Amino acid sequence: MDSLLVEKLAIPILHNQLANCWDMLSTSETECAVSAMRLVLRYGPFSGSALSNLVAVLRDRLVDVVANLKNVI
């Protein structure tokens, strides 16, 4: 599998899963997300913006969950 295939196919699928399906408070789902990110990063470097968009969605989700945790505590 080359980096172009990962960039065009795998990263958009992972982006969708992390943006819409990942429960960050679930240990098993977080372990799967970390594993998937490691697998994708193995095939870099990437030429497009797919990876930066993926990292941005991770950042945004983490910011949201931290803000919500502050409201709970």
Side-chain angles (χ1 to χ4, degrees), residues 47-65:
S47 60
S49 62
L51 185 61
S52 61
N53 291 338
L54 181 61
V55 172
V57 81
L58 286 172
R59 181 199 61 226
D60 293 345
R61 293 286 316 272
L62 288 170
V63 167
D64 288 344
V65 79

Side-chain angles (χ1 to χ4, degrees), residues 25-38:
L25 300 179
S26 166
T27 302
S28 62
E29 288 188 30
T30 300
E31 287 172 354
C32 288
V34 169
S35 178
M37 285 295 296
R38 283 186 180 144

Side-chain angles (χ1 to χ4, degrees), residues 1-47:
M1 188 182 298
D2 70 344
S3 62
L4 183 59
L5 183 59
V6 171
E7 186 173 12
K8 298 296 181 186
L9 183 64
I11 290 178
I13 292 170
L14 182 56
H15 181 278
N16 181 60
Q17 291 295 312
L18 294 178
N20 301 309
C21 303
W22 175 33
D23 177 7
M24 288 187 290
L25 300 179
S26 166
T27 302
S28 62
E29 288 188 30
T30 300
E31 287 172 354
C32 288
V34 169
S35 178
M37 285 295 296
R38 283 186 180 144
L39 187 60
V40 163
L41 292 173
R42 235 187 260 172
Y43 292 97
F46 303 105
S47 60

